[in-house]
Amino acid sequence: MNRHIAVLAGDGIGPEITEGAVQVLQRTAEKFGHTFTFEPLAMGGCAIDACGEPLPAHTVERCLASDSVLLGAVGGPKWDGLSGDKRPEAGLLGIRKAMGLYSNVRPAKLWKALADASPLKRNLVENGIEIIVVRELTGGIYFGKRGTFTDDAMGETAWDTEQYSVAEIERITRIACELARGRSKRVVSVDKANVLESSRLWRRTVHTYAQTHYPDVTITDMLVDNAAMQIVKNPAQFDVLLTSNMFGDILSDEAAQVTGSIGMLASSSLGDTPCGLYEPIHGSAPDIAGRDIANPIATILAAAMMLRDSFGLIAEYAAIERAIEETLAEGWRTADIMSDGMRLIGCREMARRIAEHI
Ligand code: NAD
């Protein structure tokens, strides 16, 4: 298979961690007989420095022409003084919009070798956890109408609206069901249907769509307050968790936290085409940039997700996941996941060792 991958290394630790991920992708290509080509493109602070804007038109054009996009991270104190649409993070929102990405998938995985990193009791996590949070990304209350007013009766008042259409709910249900098909065939759909009208439509639509298009996938409903509790009470019960923009924002951070390590978690954003955006969930970590101490595993996992979810390369994904597992089992650790008796290595060395295990 030939695939062309756009690489937006970005700022801070972005260049180090994407270099590691590209090394692992190259090794995977060699082992499995594929050809991957990589095109570095500017986005974020580095693009502001080079051409005065966080998302140059050339970057958008080339990302749209690629088979998929790998992103490091953007931002840093150097650009903090700029106004909203001029900041590095505006590049991120811009590229998501330009690529039509409406879903965000965040697997929160606790690796058995890192069970001690979880803040939960060992008996809850000792068999590993993997919660795949599928969050609707471009609708709901974050994009609904809002406003403020002041009158005599209420005083100063503000309002926001949660709004979802059947089409928006159906397309995110499709993403969750597709993922579930390759896994446990179970989806927990999270809403607040006991109170919100938009949640009642959400619930009805998820069931109707799944029954028609994915009869082999079982949908269970859970109210969001219960879901927040269940994630810390019994995280192993979840596989694919489907939810709206705001609930997903909150629950995906909670799920990430139970795994204990920000340097190990990846995410994908997808729309109607296989061309997606894959990135670690962490930021550009300016405090450790350029010191070869960042953990590259989240970005390597993001690259692995690209192979599985954009290119359909399931065995290749599994080979990368296994390589990470074996490297951790040998005791190699970057500083953020270091514990007693383990062996400390840097970003480059971690990526090299994982690549060797492919
Ligand atoms: P951050 O995720 O960059 O860092 C938080 C803490 O985690 C820091 O102590 C950092 O050293 C550590 N950390 C993060 N990734 C790590 C890794 N791979 N290995 C080891 N340690 C790691 O969050 P922040 O400090 O709040 O933000 C820094 C900058 O990143 C800001 O400019 C912010 O806007 C930006 N940011 C970008 C994205 C993105 O590009 N998607 C996401 C979040 C934040």
Side-chain angles (χ1 to χ4, degrees):
M1 175 183 282
N2 292 347
R3 286 291 180 269
H4 186 67
I5 299 167
V7 181
L8 310 175
D11 311 312
I13 60 170
E16 308 163 46
I17 55 179
T18 47
E19 186 187 309
V22 166
Q23 186 184 358
V24 171
L25 283 175
Q26 268 162 339
R27 172 81 168 180
T28 309
E30 276 163 33
K31 282 278 168 180
F32 286 83
H34 304 304
T35 304
F36 298 149
T37 49
F38 302 92
E39 181 173 357
L41 294 164
M43 189 182 86
C46 61
I48 295 173
D49 289 351
C51 53
E53 48 182 327
L55 184 61
H58 173 74
T59 296
V60 175
E61 205 177 288
R62 295 304 304 154
C63 285
L64 292 174
S66 72
D67 292 306
S68 223
V69 181
L70 180 69
L71 168 70
V74 297
K78 184 177 175 191
W79 305 280
D80 276 351
L82 298 173
S83 66
D85 60 336
K86 304 271 185 298
R87 287 172 65 98
E89 292 80 357
L92 200 54
L93 297 180
I95 192 71
R96 284 189 183 138
K97 191 165 174 217
M99 292 176 69
L101 308 174
Y102 55 76
S103 76
N104 184 239
V105 176
R106 261 197 193 191
K109 176 172 169 123
L110 177 65
W111 303 74
K112 278 185 199 166
L114 299 181
D116 288 339
S118 174
L120 299 185
K121 284 189 188 140
R122 202 176 168 95
N123 67 321
L124 293 177
V125 298
E126 60 195 353
N127 292 323
I129 306 171
E130 192 167 9
I131 308 175
I132 316 285
V133 179
V134 179
R135 167 189 171 192
E136 198 289 324
L137 201 58
T138 55
I141 197 162
Y142 294 172
F143 290 88
K145 286 193 181 132
R146 69 198 57 182
T148 57
F149 65 89
T150 304
D151 67 20
D152 290 346
M154 308 261 295
E156 188 180 2
T157 306
W159 54 276
D160 300 272
T161 46
E162 169 93 349
Q163 179 176 314
Y164 270 112
S165 68
V166 166
E168 284 174 314
I169 303 167
E170 283 183 345
R171 65 187 190 178
I172 192 72
T173 305
R174 180 183 67 78
I175 301 264
C177 289
E178 281 291 332
L179 280 168
R181 259 200 179 153
R183 301 174 53 86
S184 66
K185 296 192 169 59
R186 288 187 294 116
V187 173
V188 174
S189 172
V190 173
D191 60 39
K192 189 69 182 167
N194 54 343
V195 178
L196 301 177
E197 201 56 50
S198 53
S199 276
R200 286 192 273 274
L201 181 70
W202 178 279
R203 191 175 280 208
R204 253 192 343 266
T205 307
V206 168
H207 280 275
T208 308
Y209 186 81
Q211 268 158 22
T212 312
H213 299 276
Y214 297 89
D216 51 326
V217 173
T218 305
I219 308 280
T220 315
D221 302 304
M222 193 177 278
L223 294 173
V224 63
D225 38 349
N226 186 25
M229 194 171 68
Q230 294 297 332
I231 287 173
V232 288
K233 196 173 164 205
N234 179 14
Q237 72 182 284
F238 292 103
D239 187 42
V240 176
L241 189 158
L242 163 66
T243 193
S244 62
N245 201 344
M246 182 166 66
F247 295 159
D249 189 10
I250 299 164
L251 294 180
S252 65
D253 268 20
E254 188 193 6
Q257 193 50 48
V258 305
T259 72
S261 175
I262 197 171
M264 300 286 301
L265 301 178
S267 88
S268 73
S269 301
L270 282 159
D272 282 332
T273 74
C275 181
L277 179 76
Y278 296 83
E279 59 184 310
I281 71 160
H282 59 72
S284 58
D287 52 332
I288 58 167
R291 291 163 53 196
D292 192 35
I293 58 172
N295 186 347
I297 296 180
T299 318
I300 292 171
L301 274 169
M305 284 173 74
M306 173 190 294
L307 299 189
R308 184 190 60 190
D309 301 338
S310 280
F311 306 160
L313 300 176
I314 312 255
E316 289 80 347
Y317 168 85
I320 297 177
E321 202 178 42
R322 199 167 45 244
I324 295 170
E325 220 147 43
E326 285 168 6
T327 307
L328 292 173
E330 287 169 0
W332 302 108
R333 299 283 188 274
T334 44
D336 58 311
I337 50 171
M338 186 61 189
S339 59
D340 284 351
M342 298 295 131
R343 300 189 276 185
L344 184 65
I345 50 175
C347 180
R348 257 193 215 103
E349 181 68 4
M350 179 59 93
R352 189 186 66 74
R353 287 187 177 277
I354 292 169
E356 255 176 20
H357 273 288
I358 304 280

CSV table of all heavy atoms in Angstrom, one decimal, residues 13 17 43 71-77 79-80 87-89 92 96 261-264 279-289 293-299 334-337, ligand 1:
chain,number,residue,atom,x,y,z
A,13,ILE,N,7.5,20.3,22.1
A,13,ILE,CA,8.0,19.0,21.9
A,13,ILE,C,7.5,18.4,20.6
A,13,ILE,O,7.9,17.2,20.3
A,13,ILE,CB,7.6,18.0,23.1
A,13,ILE,CG1,6.1,18.0,23.3
A,13,ILE,CG2,8.3,18.5,24.4
A,13,ILE,CD1,5.6,16.9,24.3
A,17,ILE,N,8.5,14.5,19.2
A,17,ILE,CA,7.6,13.3,19.3
A,17,ILE,C,7.1,12.9,17.9
A,17,ILE,O,6.9,11.7,17.7
A,17,ILE,CB,6.4,13.7,20.2
A,17,ILE,CG1,5.6,14.9,19.7
A,17,ILE,CG2,6.8,13.7,21.6
A,17,ILE,CD1,4.4,15.3,20.6
A,43,MET,N,2.3,24.5,10.9
A,43,MET,CA,1.0,25.0,11.5
A,43,MET,C,1.4,25.4,13.0
A,43,MET,O,2.2,24.8,13.6
A,43,MET,CB,0.0,23.9,11.5
A,43,MET,CG,-1.4,24.4,12.0
A,43,MET,SD,-2.6,23.1,12.1
A,43,MET,CE,-2.3,22.5,13.7
A,71,LEU,N,-0.3,15.0,13.6
A,71,LEU,CA,0.0,16.3,14.3
A,71,LEU,C,0.7,16.1,15.6
A,71,LEU,O,0.4,15.2,16.3
A,71,LEU,CB,-1.4,17.0,14.5
A,71,LEU,CG,-1.3,18.3,15.5
A,71,LEU,CD1,-0.6,19.4,14.8
A,71,LEU,CD2,-2.8,18.7,15.8
A,72,GLY,N,1.7,16.9,15.8
A,72,GLY,CA,2.4,16.9,17.1
A,72,GLY,C,1.6,17.7,18.1
A,72,GLY,O,0.6,17.2,18.7
A,73,ALA,N,1.9,19.0,18.3
A,73,ALA,CA,1.1,19.9,19.2
A,73,ALA,C,1.5,21.3,18.8
A,73,ALA,O,2.6,21.5,18.3
A,73,ALA,CB,1.4,19.6,20.7
A,74,VAL,N,0.7,22.2,19.2
A,74,VAL,CA,1.0,23.6,18.8
A,74,VAL,C,0.8,24.5,20.1
A,74,VAL,O,0.2,24.1,21.1
A,74,VAL,CB,0.0,24.2,17.7
A,74,VAL,CG1,0.3,23.5,16.4
A,74,VAL,CG2,-1.4,24.1,18.2
A,75,GLY,N,1.5,25.6,20.0
A,75,GLY,CA,1.3,26.6,21.1
A,75,GLY,C,2.6,26.8,22.0
A,75,GLY,O,3.5,25.9,21.9
A,76,GLY,N,2.6,27.8,22.8
A,76,GLY,CA,3.7,28.1,23.7
A,76,GLY,C,3.7,29.5,24.1
A,76,GLY,O,3.0,30.3,23.5
A,77,PRO,N,4.4,29.8,25.2
A,77,PRO,CA,4.4,31.2,25.8
A,77,PRO,C,4.8,32.3,24.8
A,77,PRO,O,4.3,33.4,24.9
A,77,PRO,CB,5.4,31.1,27.0
A,77,PRO,CG,6.1,29.8,26.8
A,77,PRO,CD,5.3,28.9,25.9
A,79,TRP,N,3.8,32.9,22.0
A,79,TRP,CA,2.7,33.4,21.2
A,79,TRP,C,1.5,33.7,22.1
A,79,TRP,O,0.4,34.0,21.5
A,79,TRP,CB,2.3,32.4,20.1
A,79,TRP,CG,3.5,32.0,19.2
A,79,TRP,CD1,4.0,32.8,18.2
A,79,TRP,CD2,4.3,30.9,19.3
A,79,TRP,NE1,5.1,32.1,17.7
A,79,TRP,CE2,5.3,31.0,18.3
A,79,TRP,CE3,4.3,29.7,20.2
A,79,TRP,CZ2,6.3,30.0,18.2
A,79,TRP,CZ3,5.3,28.8,20.0
A,79,TRP,CH2,6.3,28.9,19.0
A,80,ASP,N,1.6,33.6,23.4
A,80,ASP,CA,0.5,33.7,24.3
A,80,ASP,C,-0.2,35.1,24.3
A,80,ASP,O,-1.3,35.3,24.5
A,80,ASP,CB,0.9,33.4,25.8
A,80,ASP,CG,0.8,31.9,26.0
A,80,ASP,OD1,0.3,31.2,25.1
A,80,ASP,OD2,1.3,31.5,27.1
A,87,ARG,N,-3.6,33.2,17.3
A,87,ARG,CA,-2.9,32.3,18.1
A,87,ARG,C,-2.6,30.9,17.5
A,87,ARG,O,-3.4,30.5,16.6
A,87,ARG,CB,-3.6,32.0,19.5
A,87,ARG,CG,-3.6,33.2,20.4
A,87,ARG,CD,-4.5,32.9,21.6
A,87,ARG,NE,-4.1,31.7,22.3
A,87,ARG,CZ,-3.4,31.8,23.5
A,87,ARG,NH1,-3.1,33.0,24.0
A,87,ARG,NH2,-3.0,30.8,24.1
A,88,PRO,N,-1.6,30.2,17.9
A,88,PRO,CA,-1.3,28.9,17.3
A,88,PRO,C,-2.5,28.0,17.3
A,88,PRO,O,-2.8,27.2,16.4
A,88,PRO,CB,-0.2,28.3,18.2
A,88,PRO,CG,0.5,29.5,18.8
A,88,PRO,CD,-0.6,30.6,18.9
A,89,GLU,N,-3.3,28.0,18.4
A,89,GLU,CA,-4.4,27.1,18.6
A,89,GLU,C,-5.5,27.3,17.5
A,89,GLU,O,-6.3,26.4,17.2
A,89,GLU,CB,-5.0,27.2,20.0
A,89,GLU,CG,-4.1,26.7,21.1
A,89,GLU,CD,-3.0,27.7,21.5
A,89,GLU,OE1,-2.9,28.8,20.9
A,89,GLU,OE2,-2.3,27.3,22.5
A,92,LEU,N,-5.4,24.9,14.8
A,92,LEU,CA,-6.0,23.6,15.1
A,92,LEU,C,-7.4,23.6,14.7
A,92,LEU,O,-7.9,22.7,14.1
A,92,LEU,CB,-5.8,23.3,16.6
A,92,LEU,CG,-5.8,21.9,17.0
A,92,LEU,CD1,-4.9,21.0,16.3
A,92,LEU,CD2,-5.5,21.9,18.5
A,96,ARG,N,-9.3,21.5,11.5
A,96,ARG,CA,-10.4,20.6,11.7
A,96,ARG,C,-11.6,21.0,10.9
A,96,ARG,O,-12.3,20.2,10.3
A,96,ARG,CB,-10.8,20.7,13.2
A,96,ARG,CG,-9.9,19.9,14.1
A,96,ARG,CD,-10.5,19.8,15.5
A,96,ARG,NE,-9.6,19.1,16.4
A,96,ARG,CZ,-9.3,19.5,17.7
A,96,ARG,NH1,-9.9,20.6,18.2
A,96,ARG,NH2,-8.5,18.9,18.4
A,261,SER,N,-1.7,8.9,32.8
A,261,SER,CA,-0.5,9.4,32.1
A,261,SER,C,-0.9,10.1,30.8
A,261,SER,O,-1.3,9.5,29.8
A,261,SER,CB,0.5,8.3,31.8
A,261,SER,OG,1.5,8.9,31.1
A,262,ILE,N,-0.7,11.4,30.8
A,262,ILE,CA,-1.0,12.2,29.6
A,262,ILE,C,-0.1,11.9,28.4
A,262,ILE,O,-0.5,12.1,27.3
A,262,ILE,CB,-1.0,13.7,30.0
A,262,ILE,CG1,-1.7,14.6,29.0
A,262,ILE,CG2,0.4,14.2,30.2
A,262,ILE,CD1,-1.9,16.0,29.4
A,263,GLY,N,1.1,11.4,28.7
A,263,GLY,CA,2.1,11.2,27.6
A,263,GLY,C,1.8,9.9,26.9
A,263,GLY,O,2.5,9.5,26.0
A,264,MET,N,0.7,9.1,27.2
A,264,MET,CA,0.4,7.8,26.6
A,264,MET,C,-0.9,7.8,25.8
A,264,MET,O,-1.3,6.8,25.3
A,264,MET,CB,0.3,6.8,27.8
A,264,MET,CG,1.4,6.6,28.7
A,264,MET,SD,2.8,5.7,27.9
A,264,MET,CE,2.0,4.2,27.4
A,279,GLU,N,-3.4,12.8,16.6
A,279,GLU,CA,-2.5,13.6,17.5
A,279,GLU,C,-2.5,13.0,18.9
A,279,GLU,O,-3.4,12.3,19.3
A,279,GLU,CB,-3.0,15.0,17.5
A,279,GLU,CG,-4.4,15.1,18.0
A,279,GLU,CD,-5.0,16.6,18.0
A,279,GLU,OE1,-4.3,17.5,18.4
A,279,GLU,OE2,-6.1,16.8,17.5
A,280,PRO,N,-1.5,13.4,19.7
A,280,PRO,CA,-1.5,13.1,21.1
A,280,PRO,C,-2.5,14.0,21.8
A,280,PRO,O,-2.8,15.0,21.2
A,280,PRO,CB,-0.1,13.4,21.6
A,280,PRO,CG,0.4,14.4,20.6
A,280,PRO,CD,-0.3,14.1,19.3
A,281,ILE,N,-3.0,13.6,23.0
A,281,ILE,CA,-4.0,14.5,23.6
A,281,ILE,C,-3.3,15.6,24.3
A,281,ILE,O,-3.9,16.6,24.7
A,281,ILE,CB,-5.0,13.7,24.6
A,281,ILE,CG1,-4.3,13.3,25.8
A,281,ILE,CG2,-5.7,12.6,23.9
A,281,ILE,CD1,-5.2,13.0,27.0
A,282,HIS,N,-2.0,15.5,24.6
A,282,HIS,CA,-1.3,16.5,25.4
A,282,HIS,C,-1.0,17.7,24.5
A,282,HIS,O,-1.1,17.6,23.2
A,282,HIS,CB,-0.1,15.9,26.1
A,282,HIS,CG,0.9,15.3,25.1
A,282,HIS,ND1,1.7,16.1,24.3
A,282,HIS,CD2,1.3,14.0,24.9
A,282,HIS,CE1,2.5,15.3,23.6
A,282,HIS,NE2,2.2,14.0,23.9
A,283,GLY,N,-0.4,18.7,25.1
A,283,GLY,CA,0.0,19.9,24.4
A,283,GLY,C,1.4,19.9,24.0
A,283,GLY,O,2.1,18.8,24.0
A,284,SER,N,2.0,21.1,23.8
A,284,SER,CA,3.4,21.2,23.3
A,284,SER,C,4.4,21.2,24.4
A,284,SER,O,5.6,21.3,24.1
A,284,SER,CB,3.5,22.5,22.5
A,284,SER,OG,3.2,23.6,23.3
A,285,ALA,N,4.0,21.1,25.6
A,285,ALA,CA,4.9,20.9,26.8
A,285,ALA,C,6.1,21.8,26.7
A,285,ALA,O,7.3,21.3,26.7
A,285,ALA,CB,5.3,19.5,27.0
A,286,PRO,N,6.0,23.1,26.6
A,286,PRO,CA,7.2,24.0,26.4
A,286,PRO,C,8.2,23.8,27.5
A,286,PRO,O,9.4,24.1,27.3
A,286,PRO,CB,6.6,25.4,26.4
A,286,PRO,CG,5.1,25.3,26.6
A,286,PRO,CD,4.7,23.9,26.7
A,287,ASP,N,7.7,23.4,28.7
A,287,ASP,CA,8.6,23.3,29.9
A,287,ASP,C,9.7,22.2,29.7
A,287,ASP,O,10.7,22.2,30.3
A,287,ASP,CB,7.8,23.0,31.2
A,287,ASP,CG,6.8,21.8,31.1
A,287,ASP,OD1,6.4,21.6,29.9
A,287,ASP,OD2,6.6,21.2,32.1
A,288,ILE,N,9.4,21.2,28.8
A,288,ILE,CA,10.4,20.2,28.6
A,288,ILE,C,10.9,20.1,27.1
A,288,ILE,O,11.6,19.2,26.7
A,288,ILE,CB,9.9,18.8,29.0
A,288,ILE,CG1,8.6,18.4,28.2
A,288,ILE,CG2,9.6,18.8,30.5
A,288,ILE,CD1,8.2,17.0,28.4
A,289,ALA,N,10.5,21.1,26.3
A,289,ALA,CA,10.9,21.0,24.9
A,289,ALA,C,12.4,21.1,24.6
A,289,ALA,O,13.1,21.8,25.3
A,289,ALA,CB,10.2,22.2,24.1
A,293,ILE,N,13.4,14.6,26.6
A,293,ILE,CA,12.8,13.8,27.7
A,293,ILE,C,11.3,13.6,27.6
A,293,ILE,O,10.7,13.0,28.4
A,293,ILE,CB,13.1,14.5,29.1
A,293,ILE,CG1,12.5,15.9,29.1
A,293,ILE,CG2,14.6,14.5,29.4
A,293,ILE,CD1,12.6,16.6,30.5
A,294,ALA,N,10.7,14.1,26.5
A,294,ALA,CA,9.3,13.9,26.3
A,294,ALA,C,9.0,12.4,26.0
A,294,ALA,O,9.8,11.7,25.5
A,294,ALA,CB,8.8,14.8,25.2
A,295,ASN,N,7.8,12.0,26.3
A,295,ASN,CA,7.3,10.7,26.0
A,295,ASN,C,6.7,10.7,24.6
A,295,ASN,O,5.7,11.4,24.4
A,295,ASN,CB,6.2,10.3,27.1
A,295,ASN,CG,5.8,8.9,26.9
A,295,ASN,OD1,6.1,8.2,25.9
A,295,ASN,ND2,5.1,8.4,27.9
A,296,PRO,N,7.3,9.9,23.7
A,296,PRO,CA,6.7,9.9,22.3
A,296,PRO,C,5.6,8.9,22.1
A,296,PRO,O,5.0,8.9,21.0
A,296,PRO,CB,7.9,9.5,21.5
A,296,PRO,CG,8.7,8.5,22.4
A,296,PRO,CD,8.4,9.0,23.8
A,297,ILE,N,5.2,8.2,23.2
A,297,ILE,CA,4.3,7.1,23.0
A,297,ILE,C,2.9,7.5,22.5
A,297,ILE,O,2.2,6.9,21.6
A,297,ILE,CB,4.2,6.1,24.2
A,297,ILE,CG1,5.6,5.5,24.4
A,297,ILE,CG2,3.1,5.1,24.0
A,297,ILE,CD1,5.6,4.6,25.6
A,298,ALA,N,2.4,8.6,23.0
A,298,ALA,CA,1.0,9.1,22.6
A,298,ALA,C,1.0,9.4,21.1
A,298,ALA,O,0.0,9.0,20.4
A,298,ALA,CB,0.7,10.4,23.4
A,299,THR,N,2.1,10.0,20.6
A,299,THR,CA,2.1,10.3,19.2
A,299,THR,C,2.3,9.0,18.3
A,299,THR,O,1.8,8.9,17.2
A,299,THR,CB,3.3,11.3,18.9
A,299,THR,OG1,3.2,12.3,19.9
A,299,THR,CG2,3.1,12.0,17.6
A,334,THR,N,10.2,6.7,30.0
A,334,THR,CA,10.5,8.1,29.9
A,334,THR,C,10.2,8.7,31.3
A,334,THR,O,9.5,8.0,32.1
A,334,THR,CB,9.8,8.8,28.8
A,334,THR,OG1,8.4,8.4,28.9
A,334,THR,CG2,10.3,8.6,27.4
A,335,ALA,N,10.7,9.9,31.5
A,335,ALA,CA,10.6,10.5,32.9
A,335,ALA,C,9.2,10.5,33.4
A,335,ALA,O,9.0,10.3,34.6
A,335,ALA,CB,11.3,11.9,32.9
A,336,ASP,N,8.2,10.9,32.6
A,336,ASP,CA,6.8,11.0,33.0
A,336,ASP,C,6.2,9.8,33.6
A,336,ASP,O,5.2,9.8,34.3
A,336,ASP,CB,6.0,11.6,31.9
A,336,ASP,CG,6.0,10.8,30.7
A,336,ASP,OD1,7.1,10.3,30.2
A,336,ASP,OD2,4.9,10.5,30.2
A,337,ILE,N,6.7,8.6,33.1
A,337,ILE,CA,6.1,7.3,33.6
A,337,ILE,C,7.1,6.5,34.4
A,337,ILE,O,6.9,5.3,34.6
A,337,ILE,CB,5.5,6.5,32.4
A,337,ILE,CG1,6.6,6.4,31.3
A,337,ILE,CG2,4.3,7.1,31.8
A,337,ILE,CD1,6.2,5.4,30.2
B,1,NAD,P1,0.7,20.3,28.1
B,1,NAD,O1,-0.1,19.0,27.8
B,1,NAD,O2,1.6,20.8,27.0
B,1,NAD,O3,1.6,20.0,29.4
B,1,NAD,C1,1.1,19.6,30.7
B,1,NAD,C2,2.1,18.9,31.5
B,1,NAD,O4,2.3,17.6,31.0
B,1,NAD,C3,3.5,19.6,31.4
B,1,NAD,O5,4.1,19.5,32.7
B,1,NAD,C4,4.3,18.8,30.4
B,1,NAD,O6,5.7,18.8,30.6
B,1,NAD,C5,3.7,17.4,30.6
B,1,NAD,N1,3.6,16.7,29.3
B,1,NAD,C6,2.8,16.9,28.2
B,1,NAD,N2,3.1,16.0,27.3
B,1,NAD,C7,4.1,15.3,27.7
B,1,NAD,C8,4.9,14.2,27.1
B,1,NAD,N3,4.6,13.8,25.9
B,1,NAD,N4,5.9,13.7,27.8
B,1,NAD,C9,6.1,14.1,29.1
B,1,NAD,N5,5.5,15.1,29.7
B,1,NAD,C10,4.5,15.7,29.0
B,1,NAD,O7,-0.4,21.4,28.5
B,1,NAD,P2,-0.1,22.9,28.9
B,1,NAD,O8,1.2,23.1,29.6
B,1,NAD,O9,-1.4,23.3,29.5
B,1,NAD,O10,0.0,23.6,27.5
B,1,NAD,C11,1.2,24.0,26.8
B,1,NAD,C12,0.9,24.5,25.4
B,1,NAD,O11,0.3,23.5,24.6
B,1,NAD,C13,-0.1,25.7,25.5
B,1,NAD,O12,0.3,26.7,24.6
B,1,NAD,C14,-1.4,25.1,25.0
B,1,NAD,O13,-2.3,26.0,24.4
B,1,NAD,C15,-0.9,24.0,24.1
B,1,NAD,N6,-1.8,22.9,23.8
B,1,NAD,C16,-1.9,22.4,22.6
B,1,NAD,C17,-2.7,21.3,22.3
B,1,NAD,C18,-2.7,20.8,20.9
B,1,NAD,O14,-1.8,21.1,20.1
B,1,NAD,N7,-3.6,19.9,20.6
B,1,NAD,C19,-3.4,20.7,23.3
B,1,NAD,C20,-3.3,21.2,24.6
B,1,NAD,C21,-2.5,22.3,24.9
